[in-house]
Amino acid sequence: MDGAERLRSGPAAAVRDPRLFEEFYRRHVDAVMRFVARRVDDPHTAADLTAEIFLAVLDSAHSYRPRLGSETAWLYGIARNVVSSERRRVAREAERDRRFSGRRLLEADDIARIEDRLDAESPGRRALAALASLPEGERAVMELIAVDQLTVTEAAAALGIRQVTARVRLHRARKALREEADVRAPEADPAAPRARPTSPPGAGPQDPSLLHVTRGGARA
């Protein structure tokens, strides 16, 4: 697809033309599914949430501003809202009948494919679990950068905050994670070789995304 076609098939154009919306969907569905799979571990819920995110595009297409970030970053902002809303609904046990009905529409092959994606994104879920102790604002920035691999600029756009605010929150999150890792590190035996630093709890010993950002490697 050339640059002109990509521009025409952006969110605003896509919601007015079924063909362009299909192109927009195909261009981003894998990234959105990965985002969801890092946050849920049930294939039916992952399928439902992915569909809801693209439905939300129909109402939010007018809010996309290319100068503020990529389409993917903008979609991640929508996806965060959808996933948060779903968590609240689950907590209230809302819409249970509708979800059970939707699950029956999935074919066995669909479930297997989503289960494969969920398995592939299990390290991302562990990384997210490692961020659970952070305040909401700092956790949101860290999630998008460390786990979802957005730049600081894109994370700020996805969250609707200034870049300087995102950088401050990222700095605080890194500092908190390093301090937590130090606290949880076992006492070294003076007679034993010096132990390697531990990762934040829940991230696994060699979680590349969290280690990358905790050490200060975020992209601008």
Side-chain angles (χ1 to χ4, degrees):
M1 182 184 300
D2 60 24
E5 180 66 12
R6 182 176 293 276
L7 179 63
R8 288 196 298 272
S9 59
V15 299
R16 297 191 297 268
D17 186 321
R19 181 183 65 84
L20 294 181
F21 188 83
E22 182 177 356
E23 291 176 357
F24 180 85
Y25 174 86
R26 292 183 182 279
R27 188 160 71 244
H28 295 295
V29 64
D30 285 344
V32 170
M33 177 63 78
R34 287 194 298 269
F35 181 97
V36 172
R38 287 190 283 268
R39 288 159 173 82
V40 303
D41 58 6
D42 176 73
H44 302 284
T45 303
D48 286 346
L49 291 178
T50 299
E52 288 181 21
I53 289 164
F54 282 99
L55 287 175
V57 168
L58 299 176
D59 296 325
S60 305
H62 65 281
S63 68
Y64 175 59
R65 300 291 184 270
R67 63 182 176 80
L68 296 180
S70 65
E71 291 177 348
T72 300
W74 176 76
L75 278 169
Y76 281 3
I78 293 175
R80 278 185 56 83
N81 292 334
V82 171
V83 172
S84 296
S85 177
E86 167 61 12
R87 286 170 175 166
R88 290 192 294 269
R89 286 199 298 266
V90 169
R92 297 191 302 264
E93 298 184 353
E95 299 187 3
R96 178 176 295 176
D97 291 342
R98 181 184 67 81
R99 293 207 171 275
F100 286 163
S101 176
R103 291 179 182 189
R104 288 194 294 269
L105 298 178
L106 287 177
E107 300 292 339
D109 288 346
D110 294 329
I111 295 175
R113 176 177 54 82
I114 296 174
E115 286 176 338
D116 288 343
R117 177 58 54 79
L118 292 171
D119 288 342
E121 297 299 336
S122 60
R125 291 197 298 276
R126 291 195 298 272
L128 288 172
L131 306 179
S133 63
L134 295 175
E136 169 60 26
E138 295 169 15
R139 184 172 70 248
V141 171
M142 196 69 167
E143 282 184 6
L144 290 172
I145 294 173
V147 182
D148 298 311
Q149 298 296 296
L150 294 187
T151 65
V152 174
T153 301
E154 290 173 332
L159 296 171
I161 60 177
R162 296 184 302 164
Q163 290 184 37
V164 66
T165 302
R167 292 184 184 280
V168 169
R169 292 180 183 179
L170 179 61
H171 173 76
R172 290 175 178 170
R174 288 173 178 159
K175 184 173 183 292
L177 289 174
R178 285 195 295 266
E179 290 174 351
E180 185 173 355
D182 290 342
V183 168
R184 289 176 176 264
E187 291 294 330
D189 182 349
R194 187 173 182 85
R196 298 177 64 185
T198 59
S199 301
Q206 296 293 332
D207 190 307
S209 58
L210 277 182
L211 288 176
H212 172 70
V213 175
T214 302
R215 292 172 178 169
R219 298 171 294 150

